[in-house]
Every structure is written in C-alpha cells, then in structure tokens.
Amino acid sequence: RRVHGGRKIEYSTRMDLSNLTAALHQLLVGDAISSEFAKSDQIRDLLMKFDPEASNTWMQSVECHPGTKCSGHLIHKGSNYELHIMSYSIGVTGDVHGHTHSPNWMRVISGELVENRYSSSSDTTPSETFTRTTNDCFYLSGDIGLHQLINNTNDLVVSLNLYVPLHVPSHIEKI
C-alpha cells in the first residue's frame, strides 16, 4: 500500500508489464511530481515488483541492431512520466552523458553493465565505477554528474527505465 497525493494505492507482490504500467499510472497520474517524490523508495519499490518472468510481452520491445550502442522502446507514456525498455548491444561502450533534464530510475532486468561516473566533462578517469547486475535498481539525475554505461559481456543487456518527470530527449547532455 502506498500513499501519494492523498491516494492509497495497493498493488500485488509481483506483476507483469501490464500490471506495472497500470500501477505506475495510478501512482503518478495527475499530480505534479516533485524531484523528492521522483527519487523516492515508493517508485523504486514499485519497479522492483515487476517480474520479467510473469510474462514475456516485454521481450517484444527488445531491439538489437548491429553497430548500435543502445536501443530504446517506449512502453508507456503518462502525462508526466515515460517507461522505456532499453537494450544494450554486446560489447559496446555508451556515450558519456548526464541526466540533469532526464532523471530516471533504471532497473537492470537482464545482464550486467558497468557504470562509470564522472565529476565533470573534463574528467577522463571515472570518479566512481559500479557493476550493475540483474535486479539492480538505481536513480540517475543531474546530482550524479555524468555517467557512461558499458556492456563488456557477450550477452545483450536489457533495462527498464522510468523517466520521471517526463523524459525530454532533446535535453540529454552528451559530451
């Protein structure tokens, strides 16, 4: 049971993609979403309820194009959020970028990524490095500085990304 904007919200322990999108809509509909609520455990907990094995409908959104670093597919769009499935090709290194204007929750649902974080665009050495594995769920915003995702495995990596407030692609900072 969750409370947001005075609404009591209940959802099942484990859910498929259809139930997750319905629960996100119920939790996030209507109200302006503050940055504090956007990075709250309530949203993280809800994303962790998604069970990729409950249904394979999400697999239809996984794309892998040779030579492409990352492919994204919009799963659901609300008035103030978007849910995407992201695919990271085998052996690729993503661009260093920030999330000042596109904060999001990222949950790895299959595979392993290395995340390098940089304090500034002039840094050539990461200030922090994390290994993100299946079921890791974390929040990305401008507060982290810049980051880079690397799939140095021999497997496709898939993540579920919830952009909240709404993802604005033209504002993703790249260096």
Side-chain angles (χ1 to χ4, degrees), residues 15-153:
M15 54 183 69
D16 64 11
L17 193 56
S18 175
N19 290 332
L20 175 63
T21 57
L24 285 168
H25 180 76
Q26 188 178 14
L27 181 65
L28 301 174
V29 71
D31 297 325
I33 298 175
S34 70
S35 59
E36 292 78 27
F37 183 73
K39 56 186 170 185
S40 73
D41 286 342
Q42 292 183 38
I43 294 175
R44 180 194 178 282
D45 292 348
L46 185 54
L47 290 174
M48 292 304 295
K49 300 290 182 191
F50 171 62
D51 182 358
E53 295 180 11
S55 165
N56 65 358
T57 57
W58 63 271
M59 293 178 73
Q60 299 167 18
S61 302
V62 174
E63 299 176 2
C64 183
H65 305 287
T68 303
K69 293 180 181 183
C70 177
S71 297
H73 183 81
L74 178 65
I75 298 297
H76 182 76
K77 182 174 181 174
S79 60
N80 48 14
Y81 67 95
E82 289 181 356
L83 184 65
H84 293 252
I85 292 281
M86 306 293 282
S87 309
Y88 304 85
S89 297
I90 296 168
V92 300
T93 299
D95 295 329
V96 175
H97 63 282
H99 284 274
T100 301
H101 300 289
S102 59
N104 74 96
W105 279 98
M106 180 175 177
R107 177 178 167 204
V108 179
I109 57 176
S110 175
E112 179 180 295
L113 290 169
V114 172
E115 179 193 15
N116 290 327
R117 291 189 178 180
Y118 301 85
S119 298
S120 72
S121 59
S122 61
D123 291 346
T124 56
T125 303
S127 56
E128 294 180 285
T129 298
F130 302 93
T131 299
R132 305 297 191 173
T133 60
T134 300
N135 287 326
D136 282 352
C137 189
F138 50 99
Y139 186 73
L140 299 166
S141 70
D143 296 341
I144 69 161
L146 303 170
H147 83 140
Q148 174 184 49
L149 295 170
I150 302 166
N151 177 1
N152 57 13
T153 71

Side-chain angles (χ1 to χ4, degrees), residues 1-14:
R1 182 178 294 208
R2 297 287 181 238
V3 177
H4 171 61
R7 294 186 304 270
K8 291 183 180 178
I9 299 167
E10 296 186 31
Y11 46 85
S12 64
T13 303
R14 305 301 295 162

